[in-house]
Every structure is written in structure tokens, then in C-alpha cells.
Amino acid sequence: MRKAVAVPLSMLGLGLAGLGYASVVERNWFRLRRFDVPVLPPGRRPVRILHLSDLHLTPRRSMLINWVRSLGSLEPDLVVNTGDSIAHPEAVPALLHALEPLLSRPGLFVYGSNDLYAPKPKNPVRYLWRTSKNDRRQYVPSLPWEELGAGMAAEGWLDMNNTTARIKVGDLDVAVAGIHDSHIDRDRYDLVAGPAPADADLRLGVMHSPEPRNMTRFAADGYELLLAGHTHGGQLCIPFYGALVTNCGIDRARVKGLSHHDSAWLHVSAGLGTSPYAPARFACFPEASLLTLVPRR
């Protein structure tokens, strides 16, 4: 017969305190990160892009809703939402309420897997040793993704799932290409493939999951700035070490923030939410990012 292993009360207390901090404090400690991106032609006026991602919103997350509403005071030139906006069948009105101060600004959006398929209960740390790519084998969406898209599109935001567009941002003519979520194999890069318009002032690529195979194609086609989310920045990280996993093909060093991919700038948002069944963040604050695009040096 095996002997029971005694767990010191001090260790148990420390674990409970850490869980409480991760699920109550840090999960609701929203931050705005700011980056300058030298991507514009010389002499152009700087423009500001507010990058939102991975809200995973449920109707009662009032702190998150109110914090997103406060971002309207930034008056960005463009808002880009890179998906996983909702996590509940009744979350669309709450999301549109959160975005309401921003919907009058030019905007773009793509979907993530969790805009289509409702989250399911599972071991919240399972993703530390395996990707979630094959978890979801639903074929009929269970969340109101069409209502979600229609709500944003009704206010003038552009649906960039597997399509291209031109948009005026400040005094810039911006060429945009976007793809649906590669995490559920809905990305169709061939539908947007080809050289980005040479006469545009900026060429912008938008996606949910930062898969290198797609980012390489964006960069090869001449897109200069790529925006993505999905990773949650690792969500449960180790201080002074960083993310343990990325839940996609990108490396840990680029799991969040500003970096490069081939010839393009890349910004990966750590996102603002979590799955309702994994409501914790550790050493990885929820975030939105304000990217100030400035002339190349």
C-alpha cells in the first residue's frame, strides 16, 4: 500500500494564493502597450493603429467591457480586431457595447476559432504540453459569428476574412489582405495571394493565428506590417523566462509584442481575455496595443 504524500500547508497556501492572483488580479489587470513602428514612406504623418485581440468575451465581464470602452479616448486612426472576440452565445451585444466608442473609427476584423465554436470544459493547463489545434472537431458553428460580423460591418468595419481591400487611414492609402483562422483550417491564402499593390502607402496583413507559413507568404507578397493574436502571450508564463508555449507554429521569442518576420514587421497581441474554462493569467498581463506608425529611418 502506498503511503499518502503530505503537502505542507505553506505550499498549499502559496499555491492557492498564486491561483487567486492569476485568476482574480492579473486576469483583470488590463494594460495598453505602445510601440513605434518605422514603416511609413519618408515625410508621412504618423498614424495610430489600435490592435485588439482575444477578448473571449462573456456578457458579465463588466471590467473588461468598461476598459475596452475607455480606449475610445485614444481616437486611433484605425482599429484592428484579430479575432476570438466572444466566448458565449449571448456575448455579441456586450461586445458591440464594449466597442461602441471605437466603431466610429475605421476598422478591420478577422475571426478566430472561438468566434465560431463555443469553448468546452477541459484541463486548463493542458495546452502547456499540447496544441489545441486538433481539439475542436465541430463542423457546425455553435456561436453567432454571423451576428458578430454583421454588427461590426454595420458600423463600417471591414470583414477581412480571406479577402483584400483598400482603406483610407488618416492621409494614407492602405492596402489590406486578411485571412480566416488557420487554427481551424479556414485560412485561404490563395484567395489573397499575389503582389501587394505597389501604389499603396502601406501594405497591411491581418490574421488571427501567427502561423509562419502564412506570414512568410504575406512578407513575400510585399506586406510590410502583419498583425495577429491567438497566442495569449503564453498566458501562463514564468517570470524572467517567458512563455512556455505559443499554441501555434510561431516561436516563443515572438509570442507577443513587436518583432520581424522576414522583411515584414510583426505585432502579436497577447490579447485581453481567456477561455472561460481557463480564467487565469500569470506573468502575462491582458493587453491591447497602440501602434504608432512613423516614417522609415
Side-chain angles (χ1 to χ4, degrees):
M1 179 180 296
R2 293 183 179 180
K3 293 183 179 180
V5 178
V7 178
L9 290 178
S10 59
M11 291 182 62
L12 180 60
L14 186 62
L16 291 174
L19 179 61
Y21 166 80
S23 61
V24 177
V25 178
E26 187 167 320
R27 178 174 175 246
N28 294 299
W29 198 340
F30 311 112
R31 293 186 171 187
L32 179 68
R33 302 184 78 193
R34 298 174 184 263
F35 299 93
D36 289 346
V37 189
V39 71
L40 298 183
R44 288 304 184 118
R45 179 183 69 85
V47 300
R48 299 186 304 160
I49 297 177
L50 178 63
H51 183 188
L52 305 174
S53 198
D54 296 271
L55 276 74
H56 293 273
L57 193 64
T58 54
R60 294 185 179 181
R61 290 214 62 196
S62 57
M63 292 179 67
L64 174 55
I65 291 168
N66 291 334
W67 191 84
V68 173
R69 287 183 62 84
S70 76
L71 298 175
S73 64
L74 297 172
E75 299 186 344
D77 298 291
L78 176 68
V79 183
V80 178
N81 177 3
T82 51
D84 275 5
S85 297
I86 58 175
H88 189 280
E90 298 176 6
V92 172
L95 178 75
L96 295 178
H97 177 66
L99 294 177
E100 185 263 337
L102 296 165
L103 288 172
S104 62
R105 318 299 298 183
L108 312 168
F109 67 91
V110 293
Y111 296 125
S113 61
N114 288 283
D115 294 320
L116 283 73
Y117 303 110
K120 293 184 176 181
K122 58 187 177 183
N123 184 338
V125 297
R126 180 174 57 174
Y127 83 100
L128 292 176
W129 63 82
R130 54 168 290 186
T131 176
S132 64
K133 182 172 176 61
N134 294 317
D135 284 356
R136 191 174 282 102
R137 279 294 173 258
Q138 303 175 62
Y139 295 99
V140 178
S142 53
L143 288 179
W145 64 274
E146 292 175 306
E147 179 188 350
L148 168 66
M152 292 185 284
E155 300 297 329
W157 284 18
L158 299 183
D159 180 341
M160 295 307 306
N161 290 283
N162 297 326
T163 192
T164 60
R166 299 286 282 260
I167 186 172
K168 195 73 172 178
V169 179
D171 60 357
L172 297 180
D173 174 27
V174 180
V176 186
I179 54 173
H180 207 308
D181 188 6
S182 58
H183 206 60
I184 50 173
D185 300 320
R186 288 182 175 244
D187 54 320
R188 301 291 183 269
Y189 192 89
D190 287 346
L191 297 178
V192 304
D199 59 341
D201 299 313
L202 174 68
R203 289 158 286 276
L204 176 65
V206 182
M207 71 206 86
H208 176 65
S209 181
E211 288 295 343
R213 60 180 171 81
N214 285 323
M215 296 191 297
T216 295
R217 296 188 72 179
F218 273 118
D221 280 342
Y223 291 94
E224 303 154 293
L225 174 61
L226 311 179
L227 302 182
H230 176 70
T231 66
H232 295 191
Q235 189 168 329
L236 302 175
C237 299
I238 297 177
F240 309 110
Y241 177 80
L244 297 173
V245 295
T246 67
N247 202 24
C248 63
I250 199 170
D251 52 283
R252 291 190 307 102
R254 298 183 295 163
V255 71
K256 65 179 179 179
L258 190 65
S259 61
H260 284 93
H261 187 84
D262 296 340
S263 59
W265 287 95
L266 168 67
H267 180 261
V268 179
S269 173
L272 283 163
T274 67
S275 165
Y277 299 109
R281 281 179 176 259
F282 191 81
C284 186
F285 292 93
E287 66 178 40
S289 295
L290 189 66
L291 309 177
T292 300
L293 311 189
V294 299
R296 292 183 289 268
R297 300 178 181 88

